[in-house]
Amino acid sequence: MRRLDRNQSQASSVHVGLYNQGLLRQELESTRQQNDQLWQQLEQSSAEAERLKQDVETKSAIAKKKDQEKQGILQKLLAAIASRNSMRGKLGNMTAQRNRALRQVQTLVAQNAEVMQQLKQTTDKLGDAYQQIEIIQKDMDEDMLELAQAYRNMEIEQRALLPAPLKVLLDQIEQDYMTV
């Protein structure tokens, strides 16, 4: 078997440059994929936040409507109580009406408490979604800053070897994130 002496054959600077460029392209592609994933997560979180916001608005409207109904029933109850004093002959009927109204008020109060609990849960979810969006945005900004720094550290010859669309994109990223 022939013994290979690897010290005798040195890689040329072109090969080293191409190897380094290949590594850089792999790193750029990996970073681009990570950024795409983060952007997709950001869009999903934004959509979830919008859906939660609409849910909060809907449940808030329902709670307001039920509160108005409760106020109407309460007003009817107060009116029934006031008329009871002037109509002693109809006391039994008025008492039955008052009891029905009280049961309705109690039912509406219980429903209102449930809606308020749902509203609180939805609001909490909305807050969590906004926190996730903020974390994702921060991670994306850090990744883009690292990408801009790596691009800035590239030698001019390496930059010249990059495809024009990639170079334009990297120039824009460098401009946006290195001036921050």
Side-chain angles (χ1 to χ4, degrees), residues 11 19 35 74 109:
Y19 176 77
N35 285 337
L74 187 59
V109 167

Side-chain angles (χ1 to χ4, degrees), residues 54-110:
Q54 291 173 353
D55 196 19
V56 165
E57 291 172 357
T58 302
K59 288 184 180 181
S60 182
I62 290 170
K64 187 175 182 180
K65 182 180 177 185
K66 290 196 183 244
D67 190 46
Q68 288 174 347
E69 289 174 0
K70 181 177 73 172
Q71 289 296 329
I73 291 172
L74 187 59
Q75 291 300 323
K76 287 180 184 179
L77 176 62
L78 292 175
I81 291 171
S83 69
R84 185 190 72 180
N85 291 335
S86 66
M87 298 181 194
R88 293 186 189 267
K90 297 182 180 182
L91 183 60
N93 188 25
M94 296 299 281
T95 302
Q97 287 178 354
R98 183 187 63 123
N99 289 340
R100 279 193 305 270
L102 281 174
R103 283 192 299 274
Q104 287 177 344
V105 167
Q106 290 170 346
T107 301
L108 288 174
V109 167

Side-chain angles (χ1 to χ4, degrees), residues 116-150:
M116 293 305 287
Q117 179 64 30
Q118 291 173 350
L119 180 62
K120 182 188 179 306
Q121 290 172 351
T122 303
T123 303
D124 291 343
K125 287 179 183 178
L126 182 61
D128 291 342
Y130 278 123
Q131 286 177 349
Q132 289 175 357
I133 288 170
E134 186 176 302
I135 290 169
I136 290 170
Q137 184 66 44
K138 183 181 175 187
D139 288 345
M140 189 177 95
D141 287 345
E142 289 174 4
D143 288 344
M144 295 304 280
L145 181 61
E146 288 177 17
L147 178 63
Q149 287 172 342

Side-chain angles (χ1 to χ4, degrees), residues 20-77:
N20 288 338
Q21 183 182 2
L23 288 177
L24 182 59
R25 282 187 181 174
Q26 286 177 343
E27 184 178 309
L28 287 174
E29 179 61 22
S30 173
T31 303
R32 185 195 61 76
Q33 288 173 355
Q34 288 174 351
N35 285 337
D36 289 347
Q37 289 171 351
L38 289 172
W39 183 256
Q40 191 174 36
Q41 287 175 356
L42 177 64
E43 288 179 339
Q44 288 172 351
S45 294
S46 294
E48 178 67 13
E50 184 60 34
R51 187 190 63 74
L52 290 173
K53 180 181 174 187
Q54 291 173 353
D55 196 19
V56 165
E57 291 172 357
T58 302
K59 288 184 180 181
S60 182
I62 290 170
K64 187 175 182 180
K65 182 180 177 185
K66 290 196 183 244
D67 190 46
Q68 288 174 347
E69 289 174 0
K70 181 177 73 172
Q71 289 296 329
I73 291 172
L74 187 59
Q75 291 300 323
K76 287 180 184 179
L77 176 62

